[in-house]
Amino acid sequence: MSKVIIICDSDIILKGLSVILSDCNADEVFLMHHKKELNDYPHLSGYILIILPLNIINDYEIQLKQILINAINIKYLHLIFEEKTSITSSDIYIGDNPASIVKKVNELLNSFWTKKVIEPINDLTKREIDVLLLVAKGLANKEIADKLSISIHTVISHRKNISEKTGIKSASGLTMYAVLKKLIDIDEISTSDLI
Amino acid sequence: MELFNENSKLAQVILKDHTLLPVINRLGLKLGFGDSTIQQLCKKEGIDVTFFVEIINVFHNENYFSEKKLLDFSVTTVIDYLLKTHRNYVDYVIPEQERLIDLFLSNCTTGCKENELVRKFNKKFTEEFIKHIQLEEIEIFPYVINLNEVIGNPSKKAAFMDQYKNFTIKGFEKEHNNMDEKMFDLKNIIIKYLQPNYDQNIGNSLLSNLFIFEKDLKNHSRIEDKILVPKVKQLEKIVKKDE
């Protein structure tokens, strides 16, 4: 999950950026007038990109890190209001065109996963099917890990991939998927409360 | 995207965005708007016009961020609206979804045993959804109303603190994720994985209904998470500051 947080006291800039970034790769974009408002979102987790004016950055990075304790990684983009020659890849000049702003944001968002190879969405692997079938039978992640002699972390990672490939997130949704795909016989589950 | 204001004619608003109709009903207005503006209609029905305008803009434009303004509304106005929305879900939206799923499945010719799972899945979703609504109505909303009363009448504070010693609004937000997940799954199952032996027109109605319900629910959660919760946190800070 990646999130973009824009902090700026100008509604024009907040609103403008939120429209421009509606096409970016972030799962969610949050708008705030002041960094204090971050205190209302202590549960924000995952990969977070914060966009804020250069002049308020200073020691903020440490403060923001203390508020966003659940973040896996935080990166920053600075808003530049005056044209200057030294605009770097970590700056957004407000005169930039929308496409190049989105590109810059996406590049930074993608850099959160530099090591991750993006696989094309295709069929489930054999191991993923093993996990899916146990989910479909109502086993919890811990039980699945024990049964397949793998770590719970690996189970969670398999489940994430299964959901990405199938478009189904909930356990009972996956049970239904397994039946519809004839990976499991309906009679094995029809009498139980799995769905 | 265009925003509406109190001088917008309501008939024009609806012609531009008909998905606002259920929202307007919940806010207390019924069809037959004539050429009246939002201001005129709200005045006639005794509805808070600023709240009305803010809510329809929140629904009309996903990027509309009016949290600041919305924080000015009394919690009772917000809760009254949320309760009306719940009633609309329970009395109409959910039964309609069940009706369409029944109709959809009753047209099945082969492989019906599997498709029957959709009915079961939807039933479970409905049960969880109603449970969620009840949790809000029985526990959360009364807490908020009581909290709000303490602000207006500090003499009630002791009794309040006694009753809600360890209760806070925190954690309430996460409640919504499960609902969204099941809704998302149901849509994908129907679109991607069901066997194509059903009546297309009914299938289309069912899906349109699901998409509308999903959008409505998302905005409903937005109002709870972005308006009610921050507002309650504000009140909690005031009431519990000396504890």
Side-chain angles (χ1 to χ4, degrees), chain A residues 39-92:
Chain A
N39 287 312
D40 292 333
Y41 299 89
H43 58 278
L44 279 186
S45 59
Y47 300 97
I48 299 176
L49 172 63
I50 299 178
I51 303 178
L52 74 182
L54 185 58
N55 56 354
I56 64 164
I57 194 79
N58 299 331
D59 59 333
Y60 275 48
E61 296 198 8
I62 299 158
Q63 288 182 30
L64 296 177
K65 216 170 249 171
Q66 282 165 351
I67 298 172
L68 297 167
I69 44 169
N70 293 321
I72 298 172
N73 197 352
I74 305 176
K75 295 194 178 196
Y76 299 91
L77 266 175
H78 303 151
L79 286 170
I80 311 282
F81 298 103
E82 281 159 30
E83 198 163 13
K84 54 174 191 173
T85 45
S86 59
I87 289 176
T88 69
S89 61
S90 63
D91 297 332
I92 292 179

Side-chain angles (χ1 to χ4, degrees), chain B residues 176-219:
Chain B
H176 287 135
N177 288 343
N178 283 339
M179 299 291 110
D180 298 349
E181 240 177 39
K182 285 241 160 64
M183 194 78 150
F184 179 88
D185 287 357
L186 186 57
K187 232 175 51 191
N188 270 320
I189 291 275
I190 295 173
I191 295 173
K192 292 171 81 175
Y193 304 116
L194 274 195
Q195 295 189 26
N197 49 27
Y198 52 81
D199 182 290
Q200 286 189 55
N201 292 319
I202 300 170
N204 294 348
S205 301
L206 172 59
L207 276 175
S208 309
N209 221 54
L210 270 176
F211 277 108
I212 294 171
F213 190 15
E214 190 187 29
K215 184 186 167 202
D216 202 89
L217 209 55
K218 208 173 143 192
N219 284 323

Side-chain angles (χ1 to χ4, degrees), chain A residues 87-171:
Chain A
I87 289 176
T88 69
S89 61
S90 63
D91 297 332
I92 292 179
Y93 167 54
I94 59 158
D96 284 345
N97 71 53
S100 73
I101 294 176
V102 172
K103 195 169 162 240
K104 225 170 226 180
V105 167
N106 280 344
E107 273 167 11
L108 264 176
L109 288 172
N110 292 338
S111 71
F112 280 127
W113 299 280
T114 40
K115 284 180 199 151
K116 189 176 157 191
V117 184
I118 297 164
E119 289 173 27
I121 297 205
N122 48 23
D123 290 339
L124 299 177
T125 63
K126 190 174 169 305
R127 204 50 163 171
E128 283 162 3
I129 292 176
D130 292 342
V131 173
L132 171 69
L133 292 178
L134 295 174
V135 173
K137 286 177 184 162
L139 269 68
N141 288 347
K142 177 80 183 61
E143 295 168 303
I144 297 173
D146 291 346
K147 202 141 195 163
L148 298 177
S149 307
I150 52 180
S151 74
I152 190 154
H153 183 76
T154 313
V155 175
I156 292 168
S157 143
H158 281 311
R159 283 200 60 167
K160 196 169 156 275
N161 291 337
I162 294 169
S163 292
E164 264 170 29
K165 288 181 181 177
T166 59
I168 310 290
K169 293 175 180 169
S170 67

Side-chain angles (χ1 to χ4, degrees), chain B residues 1-173:
Chain B
M1 199 188 269
E2 179 189 22
L3 290 181
F4 304 118
N5 61 51
E6 64 273 21
N7 296 319
S8 309
K9 287 186 176 172
L10 194 53
Q12 291 300 325
V13 172
I14 294 302
L15 287 169
K16 276 182 190 141
D17 184 356
H18 70 278
T19 63
L20 291 173
L21 272 171
V23 183
I24 283 170
N25 295 151
R26 284 174 215 150
L27 287 161
L29 291 181
K30 289 179 181 164
L31 289 177
F33 311 126
D35 282 320
S36 305
T37 63
I38 290 177
Q39 175 125 48
Q40 291 164 334
L41 290 162
C42 284
K43 202 172 167 195
K44 204 168 134 203
E45 298 295 329
I47 299 163
D48 181 336
V49 63
T50 328
F51 184 70
F52 187 100
V53 171
E54 291 301 305
I55 292 285
I56 62 170
N57 281 325
V58 166
F59 272 79
H60 179 59
N61 186 345
E62 275 186 22
N63 290 316
Y64 183 62
F65 57 102
S66 59
E67 284 83 357
K68 253 191 175 166
K69 254 191 194 169
L70 282 164
L71 280 176
D72 295 338
F73 296 115
S74 79
V75 283
T76 45
T77 309
V78 181
I79 286 184
D80 184 52
Y81 170 77
L82 294 173
L83 283 171
K84 278 191 185 140
T85 312
H86 286 174
R87 286 284 74 74
N88 179 234
Y89 289 158
V90 173
D91 294 344
Y92 178 73
V93 181
I94 289 177
E96 177 64 5
Q97 181 163 313
E98 269 173 351
R99 185 185 75 82
L100 284 167
I101 283 184
D102 273 344
L103 201 62
F104 178 70
L105 294 172
S106 64
N107 270 280
C108 169
T109 47
T110 53
C112 305
K113 208 170 162 193
E114 277 93 7
N115 288 1
E116 195 58 28
L117 291 174
V118 177
R119 194 197 306 265
K120 225 174 149 191
F121 185 82
N122 186 61
K123 199 166 166 256
K124 198 164 179 186
F125 166 78
T126 308
E127 282 166 7
E128 278 177 26
F129 186 69
I130 290 182
K131 228 165 102 188
H132 170 73
I133 285 183
Q134 283 170 346
L135 171 85
E136 292 186 354
E137 294 188 0
I138 296 171
E139 290 190 24
I140 317 272
F141 294 172
Y143 165 73
V144 176
I145 289 169
N146 278 319
L147 177 72
N148 191 47
E149 274 174 6
V150 174
I151 301 278
N153 184 356
S155 68
K156 289 185 173 172
K157 186 173 170 181
F160 172 82
M161 293 307 291
D162 206 38
Q163 191 181 351
Y164 293 105
K165 212 177 279 166
N166 298 314
F167 200 99
T168 70
I169 198 76
K170 263 187 195 166
F172 171 57
E173 291 159 278

